[in-house]
Amino acid sequence: MESPATDVVPTVDLSSFTTDSHFAARKAAAQELARCCRPHGCVGIIGHGVPHELLVEAFEVAETLFDLPMEDKMKAPHPQARIPHRGYSAPGREKAFSRDDILTNSEAMARAKRRIRDIHETYECGDESNSVQTNIWLPEDVLPGFRDFSMKLFWRLHHCSRSILETLMMSLDLTEEECHYLRKLHPGYSEQLRYAHYPSVSTESLDREELNRLPAHTDWSSFTLLFQDDAGGLEFRNAQSGAFMLAIPAVDKLYLNIGDMFMRITNDMMATPLQTCVTDDHPAKFKPIKISDYSAEMSKWQYEKSESKNE
């Protein structure tokens, strides 16, 4: 079997997990997911079960959202803190840091990197029952139907993420007890839906390092599902060569990005059964940690704290 191409992120079809397929078909899809995803921690996915019409509407809603006047978008502002990670963030408001940046634990480094603004705008929302990450909504008259549509999209994508989790677990050959444990870790309560827009900037500003789009980084969750429009721009690093691979855009294709927590769960061996990860040959690489503690550490510089006591 040929190895996945290194210049383009490979794609797998998971329709066997979203239809009434036989076990053998699901097992073959899980093995293909592992083969393509394990080398670099990313893979394109079709046959994920999210309706085409819903995705088209999602991109239309996102375009309408980000086309609103700034004064309207700022009626649901992301707070001057990392929690709740909800609401609207204007261009330059959020700053991405790599895992290596965080591990240096240098406030001076963080201040220096923040001088280069990340030019993207986002809107975050999630489970309405989450009492910690509470949603911050635009007034209904600003964007009618936005709240209802976002919740419909959120839960449909949650259903998709469960199918992908089942595929990942099958690719790991886990026991039913281990699968039950992983399902309990992913109830949907702490998941989030993120709309993102990257406004046009001059190449000169990027070359002079005055501005940035989104610096290379890892996500600290279990995994991220990314959809992009035909503008493209998403890339993932080839773990062997260090070069970046293209994530070719298509409305009906999502990209799965393995996050730090799933890497820890599998002991840095995504496609290896969990029960055999910690052995004399493969000792534990990571200390146990709660996702809340890990995300707090990884996001500590994401939003600059306000200097004003009145804000």
Side-chain angles (χ1 to χ4, degrees):
M1 184 176 292
E2 293 181 359
S3 298
T6 56
D7 57 343
V8 173
V9 179
T11 298
V12 299
D13 185 349
L14 295 189
S15 56
S16 60
F17 275 85
T18 55
T19 59
D20 294 328
S21 298
H22 295 296
F23 175 82
R26 297 198 305 275
K27 184 65 175 180
Q31 291 173 338
E32 181 67 3
L33 177 74
R35 185 185 77 88
C36 293
C37 186
R38 183 178 178 183
H40 312 294
C42 59
V43 67
I45 294 176
I46 58 175
H48 44 66
V50 183
H52 171 81
E53 296 77 14
L54 182 63
L55 294 173
V56 170
E57 186 177 2
F59 283 112
E60 292 172 348
V61 168
E63 184 175 7
T64 302
L65 167 67
F66 293 121
D67 279 347
L68 290 172
M70 182 59 70
E71 63 183 75
D72 282 343
K73 289 183 283 191
M74 289 304 295
K75 291 178 181 177
H78 190 292
Q80 290 281 102
R82 66 177 190 87
I83 294 179
H85 187 34
R86 296 291 186 263
Y88 173 73
S89 294
R93 178 74 178 80
E94 181 187 70
K95 181 66 180 177
F97 291 90
S98 70
R99 187 166 60 242
D100 289 342
D101 290 337
I102 300 299
L103 292 176
T104 65
N105 200 29
S106 169
E107 293 281 353
M109 177 277 300
R111 287 193 298 270
K113 290 211 167 192
R114 190 167 281 282
R115 295 192 188 102
I116 304 174
R117 299 170 65 223
D118 290 355
I119 305 303
H120 59 267
E121 54 182 340
T122 62
Y123 193 102
E124 328 277 344
C125 58
D127 187 344
E128 293 272 50
S129 68
N130 193 324
S131 60
V132 176
Q133 299 283 6
T134 52
N135 286 328
I136 302 172
W137 293 110
L138 291 168
E140 182 65 15
D141 62 344
V142 171
L143 189 53
F146 176 65
R147 180 174 184 169
D148 288 345
F149 174 79
S150 294
M151 287 297 91
K152 179 177 74 172
L153 179 61
F154 173 83
W155 287 111
R156 190 62 189 81
L157 292 176
H158 165 71
H159 180 73
C160 173
S161 73
R162 295 288 289 191
S163 295
I164 291 175
L165 179 62
E166 292 296 320
T167 312
L168 288 168
M169 292 189 299
M170 182 175 283
S171 77
L172 293 165
D173 291 327
L174 301 184
T175 66
E176 184 52 40
E177 181 181 0
E178 290 167 331
C179 289
H180 177 70
Y181 174 74
L182 270 183
R183 291 185 191 108
K184 287 179 63 176
L185 287 178
H186 300 84
Y189 180 78
S190 60
E191 293 172 359
Q192 74 173 39
L193 169 64
R194 175 181 173 99
Y195 296 96
H197 173 232
Y198 298 84
S200 298
V201 297
S202 69
T203 54
E204 291 80 7
S205 296
L206 296 173
D207 291 340
R208 292 195 297 265
E209 295 189 341
E210 299 170 348
L211 305 173
N212 210 333
R213 287 294 202 179
L214 188 60
H217 65 284
T218 60
D219 294 340
W220 55 79
S221 58
S222 286
F223 54 82
T224 305
L225 309 181
L226 302 112
F227 293 87
Q228 58 179 338
D229 62 17
D230 56 9
L234 181 63
E235 296 180 345
F236 295 96
R237 191 179 70 173
N238 181 306
Q240 278 76 50
S241 70
F244 280 87
M245 305 181 293
L246 296 176
I248 298 175
V251 171
D252 292 314
K253 181 187 292 188
L254 70 79
Y255 283 91
L256 167 66
N257 174 32
I258 298 298
D260 292 350
M261 290 308 295
F262 208 78
M263 177 188 70
R264 297 175 73 97
I265 290 170
T266 62
N267 201 34
D268 206 16
M269 299 172 67
M270 194 278 293
T272 302
L274 289 182
Q275 66 268 30
T276 62
C277 286
V278 181
T279 66
D280 291 339
D281 293 330
H282 301 287
K285 293 184 178 182
F286 309 103
K287 295 179 180 179
I289 191 170
K290 293 181 178 179
I291 179 60
S292 56
D293 295 337
Y294 188 74
S295 62
E297 176 66 11
M298 294 299 293
S299 63
K300 62 184 177 182
W301 295 320
Q302 188 174 12
Y303 287 90
E304 193 170 24
K305 295 179 180 179
S306 172
E307 298 297 329
S308 171
K309 294 182 180 180
N310 296 322
E311 293 185 2

